[in-house]
Amino acid sequence: MREFSADYLETTREGMWADSREALADLDLATRERVLDVGCGTGELTRVLAEESGAEVVGADADPRLLAAASEVGPVVRADATRLPFVAGAVDLVVCQALLINLPDPVGAVEEFARVSSDLVAAVEPDNGAVTVDSTVDSESRLARRARERFLDGVETDVTLGAGAREVFEAAGLDVVSTRRYDHERVVAPPYSEAAVEAARRKVTGEGLADDRETILSGETSQREYDNLRSAWRAMGRDVVDQMGAEEYVRTETVPFFVTVGRV
């Protein structure tokens, strides 16, 4: 399974549920008594579940570094998603966010979720193949799309699973209640945050692509193609920095998430 830093999770999930929580309506959070957030990371969704339900919400993750941050939100337990340390029916709702896309056996994980839930299982999963980027730097949208295609070609798990999570639930023996789409927009605009400035710096140095180099080269991308992409990426980064200096840079990334709810 891919590993993520606390900074990465906090940045990518920042403000995700700030504008609307309607996509969570079918979780019937107001009626819940005990909820388990599997793959909780630093606890962003855990906090939302607690605020909306008033239930006891427990976060579970395999990474102790992430649990250290999530423990500030509520009780946590270190656990593998496919081997949860709970008896059957221990909770009435199991939820995960952006977890199944990173697992080699998402059906097996959902089967385990169903074992420990007495009622509902829900997955909030993105379709990373449908992400769009709109930018005031002309080349950024095109290069972001090319880099994403190269990355998806090399990644080993189904990171586009979001829209097809219904099939995973059905294969795990759940009755699908609903699937709702939620588009999460991340906007960079003046005044720029420290995170935005750091992201621009990583474009200039090519560090972002370097982090994904091994995955990209695992697909059909040659070393020469990767080098050419990184060179163009760095040039794009310099344009981003120039526009930031003039406070003209605006970037909107839209990530489609699908909230799939199934009944045990």
Side-chain angles (χ1 to χ4, degrees), residues 69-80:
S71 64
E72 298 180 5
V73 177
V76 297
V77 60
R78 187 177 181 183
D80 186 305

Side-chain angles (χ1 to χ4, degrees), residues 42-50 57 67-76:
T42 52
E44 281 74 20
L45 179 59
T46 313
R47 180 180 290 105
V48 171
L49 296 172
V57 183
L67 287 177
S71 64
E72 298 180 5
V73 177
V76 297

Side-chain angles (χ1 to χ4, degrees), residues 117-179:
S117 176
S118 63
D119 190 16
L120 296 183
V121 172
V124 183
E125 299 291 329
D127 178 351
N128 286 317
V131 175
T132 60
V133 173
D134 183 31
S135 172
T136 53
V137 172
D138 292 339
S139 61
E140 185 168 15
S141 297
R142 171 177 51 82
L143 289 172
R145 183 172 58 253
R146 187 194 307 175
R148 185 176 306 107
E149 290 171 349
R150 302 289 188 179
F151 177 82
L152 293 178
D153 182 50
V155 75
E156 295 180 350
T157 59
D158 185 3
V159 293
T160 68
L161 179 144
R166 168 182 290 268
E167 298 175 4
V168 173
F169 274 48
E170 291 174 343
L174 292 171
D175 293 326
V176 176
V177 174
S178 65
T179 296

Side-chain angles (χ1 to χ4, degrees), residues 57-94:
V57 183
V58 178
D61 203 287
D63 191 329
R65 298 170 303 167
L66 302 181
L67 287 177
S71 64
E72 298 180 5
V73 177
V76 297
V77 60
R78 187 177 181 183
D80 186 305
T82 60
R83 294 188 299 275
L84 297 171
F86 298 95
V87 299
V91 300
D92 52 22
L93 171 65
V94 176

Side-chain angles (χ1 to χ4, degrees), residues 1 4 8-17 24 27 36-49 60-61 94-103 113 122-126 161 169 182 184 186 255 257-260:
M1 177 178 169
F4 302 95
Y8 173 85
L9 291 179
E10 289 173 351
T11 299
T12 57
R13 298 182 183 183
E14 180 181 7
M16 179 168 176
W17 300 107
L24 303 175
L27 277 63
L36 177 63
D37 179 12
V38 183
C40 65
T42 52
E44 281 74 20
L45 179 59
T46 313
R47 180 180 290 105
V48 171
L49 296 172
D61 203 287
V94 176
V95 184
C96 69
Q97 176 176 322
L99 173 68
L100 301 182
I101 59 169
N102 295 305
L103 297 179
F113 299 170
V124 183
E125 299 291 329
L161 179 144
F169 274 48
Y182 172 88
H184 176 41
R186 297 199 290 263
V255 183
F257 280 82
F258 295 83
V259 183
T260 303

Side-chain angles (χ1 to χ4, degrees), residues 185-202:
E185 287 191 349
R186 297 199 290 263
V187 180
V188 175
Y192 304 112
S193 66
E194 291 184 12
V197 173
E198 173 62 14
R201 185 193 68 79
R202 287 171 59 82

